[in-house]
């Protein structure tokens, strides 16, 4: 079952990398009649429309701008594929090593896979119709609930990585698109986990901050990884800049855009000896119930 899931996922990942590299004629060949097959069909429809739109933009001398949009879309497609693949690998690993409680893990992992496939379908359908990234749909939301879902997206964390949650309870609500904010937080969490291949601690905290005319929620993601060099700090949120080999350089740029589109801000402090801390601030909904 894991192979049936992971092999199509690998093909989709390869396809998105082709799109990100500028090959808008890329088509994926996945013979399946389930959700993954439907996703592959949507991907192929999207790339055909990308080719059509790209030609129109070239005529208007905007090919460079269109390629950046395509790269951002490819990155957004690749993000949900990560929890899908991690869930499939978790199922296979637990099935082979320890089947105690397997039914519960099966339900959890398959639900994650179905949720992420549905998220991808919505993204692709909307892009195919409008040739743009989905608009944010802000609603009063509970920051701790969004954080919890973002942390679960990663699946099973490595044994040498400890995740600590130190969030205040009953925080005021914030006005955000929950899915977009969840995706932004997941990008930060994923970067932190990848920075600590040799193990470490990721501490996630959220608290309310009351300042004159600036009441907001502050979320901090602090890791004990190797830190970020001074040369890289100034370019961290720049599109196409990456410190990872093979990285698209769009993850943190997209994080920045999502946060600022919601009226918030994201900053980073790093010590090459102590680790890195990303701080996200998001305005509190005026008059919202403090019960969250």
């Amino acid at each position: 079952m894991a192979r049936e899931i992971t092999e199509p996922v690998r093909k989709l990942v390869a396809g998105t990398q082709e799109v990100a590299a500028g090959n808008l004629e890329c088509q994926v060949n996945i013979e399946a009649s389930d959700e993954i097959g439907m996703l592959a069909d949507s991907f192929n429809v999207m790339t055909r429309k990308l080719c059509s739109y790209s030609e129109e933009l070239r005529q208007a001398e905007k090919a460079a701008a269109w390629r950046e949009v395509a790269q951002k879309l490819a990155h957004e497609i690749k993000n949900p594929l990560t929890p899908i693949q991690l869930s499939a690998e978790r199922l296979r690993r637990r099935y082979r090593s320890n089947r105690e409680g397997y039914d519960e893990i099966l339900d959890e992992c398959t639900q994650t896979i179905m949720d992420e496939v549905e998220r991808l379908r919505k993204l692709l359908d909307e892009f195919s119709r409008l040739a743009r990234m989905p608009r944010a749909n802000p609603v009063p939301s509970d920051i701790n609930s969004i954080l919890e879902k973002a942390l679960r997206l990663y699946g099973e964390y490595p044994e040498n990585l400890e995740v600590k949650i130190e969030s205040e309870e009953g925080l005021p609500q914030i006005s955000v698109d929950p899915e977009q904010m969840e995706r932004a937080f997941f990008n930060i969490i994923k970067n932190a986990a990848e920075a600590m291949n040799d193990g470490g601690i990721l501490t996630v905290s959220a608290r309310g901050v009351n300042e004159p005319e600036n009441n907001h929620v502050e979320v901090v993601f602090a890791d004990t990884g190797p830190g970020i060099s001074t040369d890289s700090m100034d370019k961290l949120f720049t599109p196409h800049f990456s410190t990872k080999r093979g990285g698209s350089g769009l993850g943190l740029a997209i994080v920045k855009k999502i946060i600022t589109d919601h009226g918030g801000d994201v900053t980073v402090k790093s010590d090459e000896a102590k680790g890195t801390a990303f701080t996200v601030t998001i305005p509190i909904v005026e008059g919202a119930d403090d019960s969250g």
Side-chain angles (χ1 to χ4, degrees):
M1 181 180 66
R3 283 196 300 271
E4 290 176 358
I5 295 172
T6 56
E7 185 56 29
V9 167
R10 289 194 186 96
K11 289 183 179 179
L12 281 167
V13 170
T16 61
Q17 290 172 338
E18 284 288 318
V19 172
N23 180 14
L24 303 184
E25 297 180 353
C26 176
Q27 298 278 285
V28 293
N29 182 21
I30 297 176
E31 296 181 0
S33 59
D34 56 9
E35 288 84 357
I36 295 292
M38 295 172 65
L39 179 60
D41 291 339
S42 296
F43 178 92
N44 290 335
V45 169
M46 179 202 70
T47 55
R48 286 195 291 269
K49 291 193 175 184
L50 276 173
C51 286
S52 175
Y53 290 130
S54 181
E55 181 60 29
E56 293 175 14
L57 287 173
R58 274 196 295 268
Q59 294 172 1
E61 297 182 348
K62 294 181 179 179
W66 181 251
R67 184 182 177 191
E68 183 174 347
V69 171
Q71 288 176 320
K72 288 180 179 179
L73 177 68
H75 188 275
E76 285 299 291
I77 293 172
K78 190 175 179 181
N79 266 337
L81 294 178
T82 299
I84 290 175
Q85 186 164 1
L86 287 171
S87 294
E89 291 172 350
R90 183 184 179 192
L91 282 173
R92 181 169 57 184
R93 185 167 57 250
R94 286 299 298 269
Y95 183 81
R96 290 177 175 176
S97 61
N98 178 14
R99 299 187 190 180
E100 183 179 353
Y102 186 76
D103 288 347
E104 182 179 346
I105 292 173
L106 177 64
D107 287 341
E108 180 184 338
C109 290
T110 53
Q111 187 62 53
T112 296
I113 290 169
M114 289 188 292
D115 289 346
E116 293 305 304
V117 167
E118 180 62 25
R119 190 193 304 270
L120 281 166
R121 184 182 296 118
K122 288 180 181 178
L123 179 68
L124 292 172
D125 286 347
E126 185 162 353
F127 189 86
S128 295
R129 290 195 306 269
L130 303 174
R132 59 169 172 77
M133 297 296 291
R135 289 179 180 174
N137 181 29
V139 296
S141 305
D142 174 37
I143 187 68
N144 282 329
S145 176
I146 294 173
L147 276 172
E148 182 182 340
K149 290 179 180 177
L151 286 162
R152 282 205 310 263
L153 274 180
Y154 195 86
E156 197 166 358
Y157 291 88
E159 292 183 0
N160 62 355
L161 176 61
E162 180 182 357
V163 179
K164 294 182 177 180
I165 312 297
E166 299 179 354
S167 295
E168 295 178 0
E169 296 294 332
L171 288 171
Q173 292 189 323
I174 54 175
S175 181
V176 297
D177 184 312
E179 288 193 0
Q180 288 197 10
M181 197 58 60
E182 179 186 323
R183 186 60 54 197
F185 289 164
F186 173 72
N187 273 347
I188 298 174
I189 293 165
K190 180 170 173 283
N191 279 357
E194 290 176 349
M196 294 185 288
N197 284 328
D198 296 329
I201 302 172
L202 171 62
T203 304
V204 180
S205 61
R207 67 185 184 102
V209 179
N210 296 319
E211 295 179 348
E213 301 181 0
N214 184 27
N215 292 341
H216 61 272
V217 169
E218 179 184 273
V219 185
V220 179
F221 303 84
D223 68 58
T224 59
I228 302 169
S229 69
T230 304
D231 292 340
S232 298
M233 287 288 287
D234 293 338
K235 307 173 185 176
L236 208 56
F237 296 105
T238 303
H240 312 306
F241 172 77
S242 177
T243 59
K244 295 182 292 187
R245 184 177 182 181
S248 67
L250 291 170
L252 291 178
I254 291 173
V255 167
K256 181 79 169 180
K257 185 177 188 308
I258 289 175
I259 301 299
T260 55
D261 283 353
H262 286 84
D265 192 22
V266 55
T267 57
V268 59
K269 292 182 179 179
S270 188
D271 187 321
E272 291 189 60
K274 296 180 181 178
T276 302
F278 283 85
T279 300
V280 176
T281 58
I282 307 167
I284 291 172
V285 179
E286 292 298 329
D289 181 0
D290 285 355
S291 65

